[in-house]
């Protein structure tokens, strides 16, 4: 059997509920699925890598509670995004800590598809888990899975 | 942690080398990956389901060593296909037996994509592993992974 741990990258994002810096249902589903169906009780054999990609808000129209009048306003917005992202990752890192799985988590900015592909090439995980909804013939969730 | 075993469906096919009723490199790769990266030493927690889809040879042009002169010739051809399929599955069932993983294996006829989708819907595995080559941005192997 393999000696090295199996490295599973899980791409996670926030709930679309505004002001609610918690994981989306599909991210939570992807995480729970990974733990329940893949890792199971073999916790020392797996490492989880959580990637959260933040999409730069180009026009700011989604931030209707913000008024931008100076460069500092954008700085504050970036700061707020950063905090929301950190809270999101905190949820997954805490869950891993409870379960006893080693993990790493980080935030990047850009187009999620491009960034995920880039990070997969860079870090070469054994498995990529991406929660999503109603894609193709497989309802509810589909993930791309990858091996070297 | 989950009580039920994780059911992994692995779609397998033969090597394209004629007269060589052995697994293709990608099927073998998909199987070894599943064992080494997912099942690991947690053998009692997983069941493997091997599906081999045989494509009906509509014109028989791939069978240049065969001459069809009577209905029996086609019967013999079907019989030969069946034997090759059984040998293919025997390889995987033997490997599982050595490793100690419970498995099931079966053969179906039709278009592999359609049959695999149909069987996934019917049996609802936790995970589908399909070895393939050079698909999309992920080189070497890509598999579709599925959860309910």
């Amino acid at each position: 059997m393999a000696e090295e741990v199996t490295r599973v990258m899980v791409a996670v994002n926030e709930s679309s509920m505004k002001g609610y810096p918690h994981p989306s249902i599909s991210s939570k589903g992807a995480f729970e699925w990974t733990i329940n169906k893949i890792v199971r009780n073999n916790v020392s054999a797996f490492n989880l890598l959580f990637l959260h990609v933040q999409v730069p808000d180009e026009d700011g129209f989604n931030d209707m509670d913000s008024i931008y009048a100076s460069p500092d306003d954008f700085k504050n917005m970036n700061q707020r995004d950063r905090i929301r992202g950190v809270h999101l990752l905190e949820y997954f890192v805490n869950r891993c800590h409870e379960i006893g799985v080693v993990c790493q988590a980080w935030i990047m900015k850009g187009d999620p598809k491009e960034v995920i592909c880039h990070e997969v090439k860079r870090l070469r995980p054994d498995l990529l888990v991406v929660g999503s909804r109603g894609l193709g013939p497989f309802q509810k969730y589909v993930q791309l899975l990858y091996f070297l």
Side-chain angles (χ1 to χ4, degrees), chain A residues 2 13 22 114 125 137:
Chain A
N13 58 5
H22 286 147
E114 280 174 25

Side-chain angles (χ1 to χ4, degrees), chain A residues 59-70:
Chain A
D59 54 23
F61 283 165
N62 290 329
D63 264 321
M64 292 302 283
D65 54 349
S66 304
I67 297 170
Y68 306 106
S70 77

Side-chain angles (χ1 to χ4, degrees), chain A residues 132-143:
Chain A
S132 58
R133 284 151 296 184
L135 273 178
F138 302 101
Q139 292 301 306
K140 281 198 180 168
Y141 296 102
V142 177
Q143 296 102 38

Side-chain angles (χ1 to χ4, degrees), chain A residues 5 42 107 121 141:
Chain A
V5 295
N42 202 6
I107 298 171
K121 282 180 192 154
Y141 296 102

Side-chain angles (χ1 to χ4, degrees), chain A residues 88 102 132:
Chain A
L88 173 72
V102 171
S132 58

Side-chain angles (χ1 to χ4, degrees), chain A residues 25-44:
Chain A
I25 290 169
S26 71
S27 297
K28 241 172 137 169
F31 171 72
E32 297 296 338
W33 180 89
T34 305
I35 294 295
N36 292 331
K37 298 296 185 181
I38 302 290
V39 174
R40 302 185 61 106
N41 54 6
N42 202 6
V43 289
S44 61

